[in-house]
């Protein structure tokens, strides 16, 4: 196979208008935005609700889901009916609803064989005094149902302050909400199964309330794990690399490039997002310019990635 067929796969992001979004994905990240508030950039996605197209090179114009179906060799011949990860940049100007996701087993049984959703957040740009909601405070299902029925959400939702550089692992069953004033990178399983628990009694433009899914949420909420108190990253950085998450679903690492940095690519694929700075990456003998907001997939057996410049990267693999 010609070398250029195992080159880095740069993707065109899919930008999504949302009522809770802002404009920073345009002003700070350089994406072309539709009018109005835009909350989501689907940066690396093969999900049918936002399937990214290859931006350049011999595969230009193909979608990531087409590559998954037609060129599984690029992903180390991994099994599975879909590309497993979904990388988003989220700009929340306003609060998102409080929600929870099922695990794979519950989703397979109750959501037509869909994947569950394990997600995690790396905080990039938060307002002073910004918070998120993570975890919940009821001792068990019965107490949760009673407090929810009485509308005592302050006694249920656990809010904590956040700072740039914080990282939150949001396993299936962990109740959570991104609150206003937060811009973050989300790495998640490629799934859309969300149970909305509470929406602050907000009314939509037509005066209606958005649907909630309390019955399913009560089934899947984790009543055992204590809610976290902080997202501070405490694992050591070694040669610029910090392992933010290692799990059965996926792994996430942060890489700081200061000058030059060579990153091996031994996995079936590696997702790379530039979240700060600028520079370049060379793979094989092809060099690509990089800047904040660049995202690419390094295919299997593509060789080492040689980065130059000053950049912060968030990378993930299964
Ligand atoms: Zn979520």
């Amino acid at each position: 196979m010609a070398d250029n067929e195992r080159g880095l796969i740069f993707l065109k992001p899919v930008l999504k208008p949302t009522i809770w979004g802002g404009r920073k994905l345009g002003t700070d990240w350089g994406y072309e935005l539709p009018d109005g508030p835009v909350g989501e950039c689907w940066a690396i996605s093969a999900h049918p609700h936002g399937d990214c197209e290859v931006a350049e090179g011999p595969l230009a114009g193909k979608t990531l889901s087409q590559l998954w179906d037609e060129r599984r060799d690029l992903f180390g011949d991994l099994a599975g009916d879909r590309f497993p990860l979904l990388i988003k940049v989220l700009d929340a100007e306003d609060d998102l609803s409080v929600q929870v996701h099922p695990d794979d087993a519950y989703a397979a049984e109750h959501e037509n064989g869909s994947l569950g959703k394990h997600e995690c957040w790396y905080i990039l740009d938060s307002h002073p005094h910004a918070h998120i909601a993570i975890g919940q405070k009821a001792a068990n299902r019965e107490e949760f149902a009673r407090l929810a029925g009485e509308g005592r959400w302050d006694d249920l939702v656990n809010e904590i302050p956040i700072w740039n550089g914080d990282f939150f692992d949001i396993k299936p069953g962990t109740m959570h909400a991104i609150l206003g004033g937060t811009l973050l990178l989300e790495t998640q399983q490629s799934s859309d199964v969300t149970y909305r628990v509470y929406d602050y009694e907000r009314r939509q433009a037509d005066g209606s309330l958005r649907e909630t899914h309390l019955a399913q949420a009560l089934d899947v909420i984790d009543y055992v794990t204590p809610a976290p108190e902080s997202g501070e990253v405490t694992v050591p950085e070694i040669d610029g690399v910090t392992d933010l998450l290692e799990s059965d679903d996926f792994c996430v690492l942060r890489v700081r490039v200061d000058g030059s940095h060579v990153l091996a690519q031994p996995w079936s694929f590696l997702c790379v997002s530039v979240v700060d700075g600028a520079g370049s990456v060379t793979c094989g003998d092809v060099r690509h310019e990089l800047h904040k907001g660049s995202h690419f997939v390094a295919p299997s057996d593509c060789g080492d990635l040689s980065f130059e410049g000053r950049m912060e990267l968030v990378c993930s693999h299964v």
Side-chain angles (χ1 to χ4, degrees):
M1 191 176 300
D3 266 345
N4 65 358
E5 292 211 357
R6 295 206 90 77
L8 303 181
I9 303 167
F10 282 79
L11 296 164
K12 289 186 199 169
V14 176
L15 280 304
K16 300 231 172 198
T18 61
I19 46 166
W20 47 262
R23 298 294 297 172
K24 278 185 180 173
L25 293 172
T27 54
D28 294 11
W29 287 69
Y31 301 126
E32 259 180 59
L33 302 190
D35 289 341
V38 177
E40 305 199 3
C41 163
W42 292 32
I44 299 178
S45 165
H47 195 281
H49 295 169
D51 197 357
C52 295
E53 258 183 41
V54 179
E56 58 183 52
L59 302 169
K62 295 256 186 199
T63 63
L64 188 55
S65 68
Q66 281 177 313
L67 293 189
W68 180 257
D69 290 339
E70 298 166 10
R71 290 293 310 275
R72 195 67 64 89
D73 59 295
L74 296 172
F75 310 97
D77 293 314
L78 263 185
D81 64 354
R82 60 169 67 175
F83 181 76
L85 297 183
L86 175 47
I87 315 296
K88 297 180 187 176
V89 184
L90 302 180
D91 173 23
E93 186 68 35
D94 205 352
D95 299 345
L96 278 74
S97 55
V98 179
Q99 53 180 248
V100 65
H101 308 293
D103 62 14
D104 289 343
Y106 189 92
E109 186 180 340
H110 299 272
E111 304 290 346
N112 301 318
S114 174
L115 282 180
K117 185 161 153 188
H118 183 180
E119 66 185 63
C120 61
W121 298 341
Y122 183 61
I123 308 295
L124 294 171
D125 184 6
S126 57
H127 289 188
H129 314 299
H131 285 64
I132 59 156
I134 183 167
Q136 59 81 38
K137 298 189 274 193
N140 52 49
R141 180 184 177 126
E142 290 65 37
E143 186 183 15
F144 192 105
R146 180 172 58 80
L147 292 172
E150 294 168 3
R152 289 168 58 185
W153 294 100
D154 288 347
D155 294 330
L156 281 174
V157 179
N158 182 63
E159 286 189 15
I160 61 172
I162 55 170
W163 284 272
N164 297 343
D166 281 0
F167 181 81
F168 296 94
D169 179 17
I170 302 178
K171 294 187 173 67
T174 304
M175 204 167 78
H176 58 279
I178 301 172
L179 303 178
T182 305
L183 191 147
L184 58 80
L185 184 102
E186 180 178 78
T187 305
Q188 58 164 86
Q189 286 178 284
S190 186
S191 162
D192 239 8
V193 183
T194 295
Y195 300 137
R196 190 177 292 126
V197 184
Y198 175 55
D199 199 30
Y200 320 95
E201 263 94 71
R202 285 186 297 202
R203 299 205 172 263
Q204 304 184 91
D206 67 0
S208 65
L209 297 168
R210 289 201 290 181
E211 187 188 2
T212 56
H213 316 91
L214 190 59
Q216 294 96 323
L218 286 171
D219 281 349
V220 305
I221 284 172
D222 176 355
Y223 301 100
V224 176
T225 308
E229 291 168 9
S230 154
E232 188 183 354
V233 175
T234 53
V235 293
E237 177 175 313
I238 299 169
D239 293 333
V241 178
T242 306
D243 288 317
L244 296 174
L245 175 71
E246 292 187 35
S247 77
D248 291 343
D249 300 313
F250 51 86
C251 299
V252 180
L253 51 152
R254 178 182 63 200
V255 180
R256 292 193 212 268
V257 179
D258 187 5
S260 62
H261 188 102
V262 177
L263 193 63
Q265 205 307 68
W267 298 287
S268 48
F269 66 88
L270 179 69
C271 296
V272 179
S273 296
V274 182
V275 297
D276 199 17
S280 67
V281 60
T282 303
C283 181
D285 50 9
V286 183
R287 182 174 180 277
H288 303 264
E289 298 292 329
L290 295 177
H291 51 82
K292 174 174 163 176
S294 301
H295 307 267
F296 64 86
V297 177
S300 72
D301 295 324
C302 68
D304 290 348
L305 306 179
S306 298
F307 293 97
E308 307 268 348
R310 274 176 173 273
M311 292 181 284
E312 185 173 345
L313 316 173
V314 176
C315 308
S316 53
H317 60 85
V318 292

